[in-house]
């Protein structure tokens, strides 16, 4: 048995090649190959492969994640194939042959004709007309029969108000009954008919009742260190049903319904249990400033094992993808697309905020992702031509940074950055290859991730290590000098470091620790779990201990002219934002500098929004002057009343909430595996 290696692939290329990415035709016939020899990681580098010959081998099935996005011609003659459904991973396939696979039948021919929309030649025969019949006429007839079977025998069995158990029971009965009783076409195609009937019935139940769709999701292959990785591109499936907006994604296996009549705009009123004085109550003037925002989509796309019962996976980080041709570093208003990357549990997802479509999904079964960050690298693609590409860095519990070339659906490398979990990552706004990683090992590291070549070879190097006194939770580069100073909110306070690379010292202690007011005195002992800049000077930080959010001046708090290290400084407070009285930790905040907004979620699923545009001018001119009272939220977006699979979700914590730079979309990440997307009118 021949094991497939890089050298073998280069040798068997037609013509022979020096780079995997240049191979367009590959002959792997007569090598006694078994399924386990098809290494998905190696095959994923064959990005431009169009013709593949696997004839005269011992394959019994295909791995589900070979990642051959450009494959057009496939020869699998003379193998031991038992199933063809995995071929759906090659959507551009036009010619397919699998003669002399004794376990394959006419039913399998019909399955591939349905699954491969571009297929025109099957085993040397033109199947264009027959395939169109299978995809359209056959599907239409079966859908009509499935719907009629539900209406006649099952619709009245489901009470108006039903429980999850009742739904589960009737689904099981319906699927069994419909596969037995719905008949169409010759008996020789009965296996194909049952396969399609089950698929149609599950789709019908999913769209009409918000039930789980058992899609044939990809099976991950084992990788190094028992790691599983895959990229998935689910189909969009959203449908209006009567007066209920139903948002559904097949790979997410969960339907979420939101009743529009329950979508109420909420003005500056506190959540139940939040104490507010009469002077802080919402006024008509305040209400007039409210943002007209509506909940747009609710997605459960980070479920472990794609389970619709998963309400435990916590979602932690999201960031909008930069637009490649907008001069992203110059104009924040046009620097972001409507695509957002989110992470939580074992997966990272790319979501189109407008449609609610999960564009891509990247999974590592042994990981729990805590943070994601974007950068744009100028890469050499071919013939020494250069092109800008967005790269996503994702990190979490394993202390490893995954580097994902999103346009290519490819995780091209990793950096083993820390031995303990990574809490957060961020890229430098001025140095595209500089990545900061903050870890539970009480260190913040600065890495140069390098730029990958055509074959995705890259070299990463560590440039700095910043020593912290406690675990760093949030980091932010100072906007006026991002190559000189970094701030970090940590378990025991807020710290600053000099990160200038012209200094010889590679391992550095913190340069300043900031004190914040408590009820009675100044203290540094509380956890700072929220940190962001509102503009070039105003820092927004949140501590769970006082139960409020501080706005303070970086320039007035940190005097760079004074010498010495590990200095204690009093944060010059400009104002306090009224927020929830909860002592719950890790409910972080974010800012939208271009619109001068601050956002922070709470323990009840609400989003507190603060429009600070009327304050920033005064803070810039009146040095040392502090607002006398806490600033109330401009608006509180309450979590809408919704049902997930017929049930109310459990208690909802908003772990993170982020707006795009133009404040068109608001993405809310929760503790119950639900991503909520709001849109401003």
């Amino acid at each position: 048995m021949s094991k497939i290696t890089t050298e073998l692939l280069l040798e068997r290329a037609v013509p022979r090649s020096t780079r995997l990415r240049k191979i367009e035709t590959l002959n792997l016939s007569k090598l006694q190959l078994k399924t386990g020899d098809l290494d998905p990681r190696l095959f994923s580098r064959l990005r431009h492969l169009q013709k593949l010959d696997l004839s005269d081998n011992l394959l019994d099935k295909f791995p589900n994640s070979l990642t051959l996005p450009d494959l057009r011609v496939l020869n699998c003659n003379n193998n031991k194939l038992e199933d063809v459904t995995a071929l759906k991973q090659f959507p551009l396939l036009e010619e397919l042959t699998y003669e002399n696979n004794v376990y394959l039948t006419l039913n399998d021919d019909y399955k591939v004709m349905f699954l491969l929309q571009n297929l025109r030649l099957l085993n040397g025969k033109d199947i264009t007309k027959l395939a169109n019949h299978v995809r359209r006429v056959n599907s239409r007839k079966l859908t009509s029969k499935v719907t009629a079977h539900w209406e006649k025998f099952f619709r009245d069995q489901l009470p108006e108000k039903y429980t999850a158990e009742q739904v589960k029971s009737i689904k099981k009965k319906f699927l069994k009954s419909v596969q037995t009783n719905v008949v169409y076409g010759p008996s020789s195609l009965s296996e194909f008919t049952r396969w399609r009937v089950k698929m149609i019935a599950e789709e019908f139940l999913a769209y009409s009742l918000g039930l789980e769709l058992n899609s044939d999701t990809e099976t991950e292959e084992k990788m190094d260190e028992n790691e599983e990785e895959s990229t998935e591109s689910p189909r969009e499936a959203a449908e209006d049903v009567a007066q209920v907006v139903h948002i559904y994604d097949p790979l997410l296996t969960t339907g979420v319904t939101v009743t529009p009549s329950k979508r109420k705009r909420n003005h500056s009123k506190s959540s139940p249990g939040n104490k507010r004085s009469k002077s802080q109550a919402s006024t008509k003037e305040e209400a007039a400033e409210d943002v007209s925002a509506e909940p747009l989509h609710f997605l459960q796309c980070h479920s472990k094992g794609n389970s619709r019962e998963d309400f435990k996976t916590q979602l932690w980080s999201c960031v909008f993808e930069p637009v490649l041709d907008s001069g992203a570093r110059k104009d924040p208003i046009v620097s972001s697309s409507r695509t957002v990357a989110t992470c939580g549990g074992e997966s990272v997802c790319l979501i189109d905020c407008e449609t609610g479509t999960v564009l891509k999904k990247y999974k590592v079964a042994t990981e729990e992702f805590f943070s994601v960050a974007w950068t744009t690298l100028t890469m050499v693609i071919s013939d020494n031509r250069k092109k800008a590409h967005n790269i996503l860095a994702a990190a979490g519990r394993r202390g490893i940074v995954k580097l994902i070339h999103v346009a290519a659906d490819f995780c091209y490398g990793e950096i083993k950055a820390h031995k303990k979990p990574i809490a957060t990552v961020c890229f430098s706004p001025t140095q595209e290859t500089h990545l900061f990683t903050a870890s539970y090992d009480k260190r913040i590291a600065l890495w140069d991730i390098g730029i990958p070549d055509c074959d995705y070879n890259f070299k990463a190097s560590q440039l700095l290590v910043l020593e912290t006194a406690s675990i760093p939770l949030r980091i932010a580069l100072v906007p006026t000098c991002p190559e000189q100073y970094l701030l970090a909110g940590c378990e025991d306070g807020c710290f600053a470091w000099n990160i200038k690379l012209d200094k010889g010292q590679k391992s550095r202690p913190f340069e300043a620790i900031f004190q914040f007011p408590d009820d009675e005195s100044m203290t540094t002992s509380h956890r700072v779990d929220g940190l962001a800049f509102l503009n070039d000077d105003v820092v927004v930080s949140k501590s769970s201990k006082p139960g409020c959010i501080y706005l303070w001046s970086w320039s007035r708090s940190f005097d760079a002219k004074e010498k010495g290290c590990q200095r204690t400084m009093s944060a010059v407070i400009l104002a306090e934002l009224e927020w929830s009285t909860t002592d719950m930790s890790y409910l972080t905040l974010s800012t939208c500098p271009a619109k001068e907004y601050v956002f922070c979620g709470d323990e009840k699923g609400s989003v507190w929004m603060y429009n600070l545009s009327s304050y920033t001018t005064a803070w810039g001119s009146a040095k040392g002057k502090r607002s006398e009272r806490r600033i109330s939220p401009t608006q509180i977006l309450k979590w809408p009343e919704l049902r997930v699979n017929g049930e109310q979700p459990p208690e909802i914590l908003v772990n993170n909430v982020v707006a795009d730079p133009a404040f068109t979309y608001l993405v809310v990440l929760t503790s119950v595996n639900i991503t909520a997307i709001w849109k401003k009118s």
Side-chain angles (χ1 to χ4, degrees):
M1 181 178 66
S2 300
K3 293 292 183 181
I4 297 179
T5 63
T6 300
E7 292 72 25
L8 177 66
L9 293 178
L10 296 173
E11 180 183 335
R12 303 280 293 204
V14 182
R16 289 191 180 188
S17 178
T18 58
R19 291 184 176 180
L20 294 181
R21 285 181 57 81
K22 290 186 176 182
I23 298 176
E24 294 185 357
T25 301
L26 185 61
N27 184 350
L28 296 178
S29 64
K30 299 179 181 179
L31 292 175
Q32 298 293 298
L33 297 178
K34 294 184 178 180
T35 298
D37 295 325
L38 305 183
D39 181 3
R41 174 168 288 183
L42 192 56
F43 271 74
S44 67
R45 298 175 66 186
L46 300 169
R47 304 301 303 173
H48 300 296
L49 184 65
Q50 295 189 25
K51 297 181 180 180
L52 176 60
D53 187 349
L54 288 168
S55 61
D56 300 296
N57 282 298
L58 303 172
L59 304 174
D60 58 357
K61 63 179 180 179
F62 276 93
N64 282 274
S65 51
L66 285 185
T67 319
L68 302 174
D70 207 23
L71 191 65
R72 309 300 172 98
V73 180
L74 177 61
N75 184 349
C76 303
N77 289 343
N78 300 309
N79 276 278
K80 298 181 178 182
L81 294 176
E82 300 175 3
D83 183 60
V84 295
T85 54
L87 294 174
K88 71 177 183 179
Q89 67 184 294
F90 311 128
L92 299 184
L93 207 59
E94 297 174 358
E95 300 178 25
L96 172 64
T97 55
Y98 49 58
E99 294 179 310
N100 296 321
N101 283 269
V102 295
Y103 300 111
L104 299 184
T105 68
L106 181 64
N107 290 278
D108 296 293
D109 294 350
Y110 274 64
K111 287 180 182 179
V112 295
M113 282 188 276
F114 173 77
L115 291 171
L116 300 172
Q117 299 291 308
N118 292 309
L119 192 66
R120 53 184 180 82
L121 289 178
L122 178 60
N123 293 328
K125 297 178 181 179
D126 188 332
I127 48 89
T128 305
K129 290 184 179 180
L130 179 57
N132 286 335
H133 178 86
V134 171
R135 296 164 192 154
R136 293 176 174 82
V137 179
N138 183 283
S139 294
R140 187 165 62 248
K141 293 283 188 182
L142 290 179
T143 300
S144 177
K145 287 176 174 287
V146 168
T147 305
H149 194 76
W150 170 266
E151 293 291 326
K152 184 175 181 179
F153 299 107
F154 285 88
R155 187 183 67 173
D156 294 337
Q157 293 185 30
L158 195 64
E160 185 175 347
K161 294 184 178 180
Y162 47 81
T163 65
E165 283 301 317
Q166 289 173 316
V167 170
K168 185 177 181 181
S169 174
I170 201 169
K171 175 186 176 181
K172 183 178 180 180
K173 293 177 183 177
F174 177 59
L175 291 180
K176 182 178 180 180
S177 176
V178 80
Q179 290 180 81
T180 302
N181 294 290
V182 171
V183 179
Y184 179 71
S187 59
S188 59
L189 290 174
S190 58
E191 181 195 339
F192 167 75
T193 300
R194 285 195 301 271
W195 178 76
R196 280 294 290 133
V197 163
K198 182 183 179 184
M199 187 184 302
I200 291 168
E202 289 184 327
E203 290 174 350
F204 171 77
L205 292 177
Y207 294 158
S208 58
L209 299 179
L211 303 187
E212 174 182 3
L213 177 63
N214 293 322
S215 60
D216 295 323
T217 54
E218 295 182 358
T219 305
E220 295 83 23
E221 296 296 312
K222 291 291 182 181
M223 300 294 184
D224 294 342
E225 302 176 354
N226 296 318
E227 173 185 316
E228 297 180 5
E229 300 181 7
S230 71
T231 50
E232 303 174 289
S233 299
R235 304 184 307 273
E236 176 186 9
E239 185 168 298
D240 290 343
V241 181
Q243 296 300 313
V244 176
V245 178
H246 176 75
I247 295 134
Y248 175 78
D249 185 293
L251 280 182
L252 313 186
T253 65
T254 298
V256 181
T257 58
V258 182
T259 307
S261 61
K262 298 296 183 180
R263 291 181 175 179
K264 298 178 180 178
R265 289 177 59 195
N266 297 283
H267 305 313
S268 294
K269 295 180 181 178
S270 61
S271 302
N274 290 343
K275 299 178 181 179
R276 298 185 60 184
S277 65
K278 292 182 179 180
S279 64
Q280 296 168 336
S282 176
T283 64
K284 291 182 180 179
E285 289 74 13
E286 266 186 299
E289 297 177 3
D290 279 3
V291 173
S292 179
E294 290 291 328
L296 197 60
H297 302 290
F298 293 82
L299 304 174
Q300 194 173 6
C301 50
H302 291 272
S303 301
K304 186 174 180 61
N306 289 331
S307 170
R308 71 186 179 97
E309 306 298 332
D310 180 4
F311 295 110
K312 295 182 179 179
T313 294
Q314 302 237 32
L315 310 182
W316 295 111
S317 175
C318 63
V319 60
F320 279 83
E321 181 177 10
V323 175
L324 289 173
D325 58 355
S326 68
R329 301 185 190 280
K330 298 178 182 179
D331 186 355
I333 291 294
V334 294
S335 68
S336 173
S337 68
R338 68 187 196 185
T339 303
V340 69
T342 62
C343 75
E346 64 185 13
S347 61
V348 174
C349 292
L350 264 70
I351 302 170
D352 183 324
C353 289
E354 182 63 30
T355 65
T357 306
V358 180
L359 303 171
K360 294 179 175 67
K361 186 174 181 180
Y362 176 79
K363 294 198 300 185
V364 179
T366 55
E367 181 64 278
E368 181 180 2
F369 287 105
F370 293 150
S371 186
V372 285
W374 289 99
T375 191
T376 302
L377 299 183
T378 302
M379 300 165 57
V380 177
I381 51 175
S382 62
D383 301 327
N384 291 322
R385 290 185 297 118
K386 295 183 178 181
K387 185 176 180 180
H389 287 283
N390 284 333
I391 302 298
L392 186 67
R397 187 170 297 280
R398 296 176 62 199
I400 296 173
V401 177
K402 296 288 185 179
L403 299 173
I404 305 171
H405 185 186
V406 172
D409 297 344
F410 183 45
C411 176
Y412 69 84
E414 64 181 32
I415 301 171
K416 296 181 179 179
H418 300 270
K419 293 183 179 179
K420 290 191 176 182
I422 295 173
T424 187
V425 298
C426 79
F427 279 99
S428 165
T430 56
Q431 300 292 327
E432 61 184 14
T433 63
H434 286 191
L435 174 70
F436 290 88
T437 58
S439 170
Y440 280 67
D441 62 10
K442 299 182 182 180
R443 290 180 175 87
I444 300 171
L446 170 59
W447 302 86
D448 188 329
I449 67 169
I451 297 179
D453 62 18
C454 292
D455 289 327
Y456 289 103
N457 298 308
F458 74 103
K459 184 178 181 180
S461 58
Q462 189 182 84
L463 304 178
L464 275 181
V465 175
L466 310 177
E467 303 289 344
T468 67
S470 60
I471 296 172
L473 304 173
R474 302 285 178 261
I475 54 179
L477 292 159
V478 178
T480 55
C481 45
E483 296 179 1
Q484 184 166 4
Y485 289 109
L486 176 138
L487 274 177
C490 302
E491 287 283 358
D492 287 338
C494 187
F495 300 81
W497 287 263
N498 188 323
I499 57 172
K500 219 170 181 184
L501 291 176
D502 59 4
K503 297 178 66 175
Q505 191 179 9
K506 280 203 168 185
S507 180
R508 301 177 188 176
F510 60 85
E511 198 157 302
I513 180 171
F514 296 96
Q515 286 186 325
F516 294 88
D518 201 350
D519 293 335
E520 298 178 357
S521 61
M522 299 292 283
T523 178
T524 60
S525 62
H526 55 262
R527 176 187 298 116
V528 176
D529 57 8
L531 184 71
F533 275 85
L534 179 64
N535 55 32
D536 284 352
D537 185 59
V538 178
V539 187
V540 189
S541 63
K542 182 179 79 67
S543 167
S544 59
K545 186 174 180 180
C548 75
I549 299 168
Y550 293 114
L551 290 97
W552 49 285
S553 168
W554 158 258
S555 61
R556 296 176 222 168
S557 303
F558 183 81
D559 187 353
K561 294 180 182 179
E562 294 183 14
K563 294 183 179 180
C565 63
Q566 299 189 18
R567 293 170 292 128
T568 300
M569 299 179 174
S570 297
V572 178
I573 306 297
L574 303 172
E576 295 181 30
L577 303 182
E578 180 194 347
W579 184 65
S580 169
T581 56
T582 182
D583 59 358
M584 191 75 64
S585 298
Y586 312 125
L587 308 180
T588 194
L589 57 81
S590 70
T591 60
C592 182
K595 300 297 183 180
E596 299 183 298
Y597 261 86
V598 174
F599 307 98
C600 193
D602 67 13
E603 79 286 5
K604 299 180 184 297
S606 298
V607 176
W608 299 56
M609 304 166 56
Y610 309 83
N611 183 350
L612 302 175
S613 57
S614 61
Y615 295 91
T616 52
T617 302
W619 291 336
S621 59
K623 292 189 176 182
K625 187 175 182 181
R626 174 178 174 178
S627 299
E628 295 181 358
R629 65 180 181 88
R630 289 186 176 183
I631 298 174
S632 301
T634 307
Q635 184 178 1
I636 299 178
L637 297 178
K638 296 293 184 64
W639 187 261
E641 183 178 322
L642 71 125
R643 294 185 305 152
V644 180
N645 300 313
E647 298 180 354
Q648 291 285 346
E651 183 181 22
I652 296 168
L653 309 179
V654 175
N655 288 335
N656 203 344
V657 52
V658 173
D660 66 291
F663 190 13
T664 302
Y665 303 100
L666 201 63
V667 180
V668 180
L669 302 183
T670 70
S671 61
V672 294
N673 191 27
I674 294 177
T675 301
I677 300 174
W678 295 69
K679 184 177 182 180
K680 189 177 72 171
S681 300

